[in-house]
Amino acid sequence: MSSGTNPLLSIKDLRVAFRLGKTNGVVQRAQAVGREHVGVSFEIPENTTVALVGESGSGKSVTAMSILNLLPSNAERQGSIHFQGRDLLAASLLDLQKLRGREIACVFQDPMTSLNPVFTVGQQICEPLIKHLGLSRRQAMTRAEAALHEVGMPEPKRRLSAHPHELSGGQQQRVMIAMALACEPKLLIADEPTTALDVTIQRQIMELLATLKAKHRMSMLFISHDLGVVGEIADHVVVMRGGTVREQGPVAGIFASPQDAYTRALLACRPTLAQRSARLMVIDDHISGKANGAVGKAKDPKSAVLIEATALTKSFWMRSGVFGRKEFKAVKGASFTLRRGHTLGVVGESGSGKTTMGLTLLRLHEVSGGPVGGSVRFDGQDLLALSAGELLPMRKRIQVVFQNPYASLNPRFTIGQTLVEPMLIHRIGSSDADREARARALLSKVGLSDDAMHKYPHEFSGGQRQRVAIARCLTLSPELLVLDEAVSALDVSVQAQVLNLLKDLQDELGLAYIFISHDLAVVRFMADEVMVMKDGEVVEQASVAEILDSPKQDYTRRLMGAIPRGYVAA
């Protein structure tokens, strides 16, 4: 990629390795970016958006974090990185600190790990303004309010005194963008800034970034695993795999006629709204030319009803005044029926009540936090009326898989301990050897090898951790799984593998799923029936074909319209 003039940023032959310690006196290194004598090279012209795309582990983030040397101390960088003619690999820490936030700023994937929980929003936006621009506290606060207004934050003046936990995910990301752009940098590095957001908030953030880029005439390095997203926001695309560049060029050319088999596979492995297939093709299937001849197992429309919710409600007590409280209704009368072996998709924006509904029927919300109403009959018993003692055996039959596999596994337990613990609690298996054998068999079923038993969660990728979380659920032979955004944090190829696994397990074991998601394309692949929620209410409910082919509500059509669809010519 060449702009014809001097680029804003130029990366040439970049190679990054991490020192892992010594073996027999020899330093061991893991190569993260570059291979042998071939490194990563690309340019970012002025006022241009360049996207780095690829699977997890492809080297995207390591490449981007190398620019400002935001890497661990055991990282070793080779090659060259020039920003406006300055060699950043040779820059001192002091020089880099002057650049960070002033001329090159970053927005990361998870704002809650990037924002300081003990400081207010105003304090955090003011910090770079005071440090880099020398503004007084009052001047910085005035500019911080203007920055929040610019990124579309409602009631910006009031939000200055808020702490990060008091904001929604989308609002937190807007704060991160406001902080990054406060000093009007020339380059913004956006590392997966929309991955964990629902489709409508994702759309808003993408449009916001595009608007601010044009207004401030800045360049952007946009990192993502989703070609559908980058196709709408980028001018140029750099496709990475295994630490090397597989293909790069203008977004129109890459999307219209990808030359590399890996690029074609990335474009093809994501589920679409257009059609429903029995199985998703994964990256290696596409590259090898394997045909998708899978035929899904037919669902029995007359199978027994497993769970039936009637007028389910859930409220939370909110503080009002010094001693008072008021009721916030999070779920307002949700009703549904789910048969054995079937999948109910529950969709809606963040705050629509879909996760609260799932956790309420699982009895994972304390009644003391707010009243619960209605009934949830599981195999004839009302889950909401069971005592703690009666509920324990039901826990075996209903399990949950959460969105974040990094937070849902105990970091101090090996994978073997993680799988054996629920069997011990519920007295499954005749001996330790029997339980260990069952755990190993379940690892194999979810596509992991035996040697995983003695490893810890941090030794696995996100997709592998989610497989472990699914295996943990299966240790108890459940009949119902509640999957709460279980694939939304995974890259498209790993997502395809996990979705295929869930389909296979359903066909083999007759599992029923409540599949909570904001991604309607994924819901089309998984669900038999769809329930659309907004502000705690069910606004539309029908078969997956009826909802997605002929939605009756404007809200559902808006959800569908927010899904990134790749490059669209101007």
Side-chain angles (χ1 to χ4, degrees), residues 12-15 77-81 87 89:
K12 292 183 180 178
D13 198 29
L14 176 67
R15 284 159 289 158
R77 301 178 297 162
Q78 292 178 292
S80 72
I81 302 176
D87 185 357
L89 289 190

Side-chain angles (χ1 to χ4, degrees), residues 71-233:
L71 296 172
S73 58
N74 64 329
E76 297 177 343
R77 301 178 297 162
Q78 292 178 292
S80 72
I81 302 176
H82 283 85
F83 177 74
Q84 293 186 317
R86 289 172 282 181
D87 185 357
L88 298 189
L89 289 190
S92 67
L93 177 59
L94 182 61
D95 289 337
L96 289 175
Q97 287 174 339
K98 291 177 181 178
L99 277 177
R100 294 169 183 168
R102 177 65 184 95
E103 296 187 63
I104 304 177
C106 300
V107 176
F108 298 105
Q109 177 176 347
D110 184 1
M112 271 308 286
T113 59
S114 304
L115 295 171
N116 192 320
V118 302
F119 289 144
T120 65
V121 166
Q123 288 172 320
Q124 296 185 65
I125 299 176
C126 284
E127 184 180 10
L129 292 169
I130 294 171
K131 180 176 182 178
H132 291 301
L133 303 185
L135 301 185
S136 67
R137 175 68 60 178
R138 177 176 293 181
Q139 289 171 327
M141 198 62 78
T142 300
R143 190 151 171 173
E145 182 184 344
L148 287 180
H149 182 269
E150 186 178 39
V151 299
M153 178 71 79
E155 302 180 88
K157 189 169 187 176
R158 186 169 70 85
R159 303 294 183 187
L160 288 172
S161 59
H163 287 84
H165 72 272
E166 299 177 273
L167 306 177
S168 69
Q171 290 172 336
Q172 291 167 5
Q173 200 60 291
R174 288 174 190 272
V175 171
M176 280 297 302
I177 294 170
M179 194 186 316
L181 299 185
C183 296
E184 299 187 359
K186 296 180 176 67
L187 174 65
L188 176 68
I189 300 172
D191 189 359
E192 303 272 13
T194 63
T195 297
L197 304 177
D198 69 54
V199 286
T200 53
I201 303 299
Q202 180 186 70
R203 168 70 59 185
Q204 292 170 18
I205 296 299
M206 286 168 56
E207 291 175 350
L208 171 64
L209 287 172
T211 300
L212 293 174
K213 169 190 166 289
K215 178 179 178 181
H216 295 288
R217 297 191 61 78
M218 67 179 179
S219 296
M220 182 159 57
L221 180 60
F222 190 91
I223 303 164
S224 179
H225 60 253
D226 191 340
L227 279 169
V229 171
V230 304
E232 293 193 3
I233 198 169

Side-chain angles (χ1 to χ4, degrees), residues 446-485:
V446 299
L448 294 174
S449 61
D450 259 16
D451 62 3
M453 286 287 288
H454 306 293
K455 293 182 178 179
Y456 288 87
H458 73 268
E459 299 179 73
F460 295 92
S461 68
Q464 289 171 325
R465 294 188 207 195
Q466 203 62 295
R467 289 170 184 267
V468 171
I470 293 169
R472 179 176 58 184
C473 291
L474 297 179
T475 59
L476 302 178
S477 300
E479 298 162 61
L480 172 67
L481 286 187
V482 177
L483 299 145
D484 186 9
E485 301 279 12

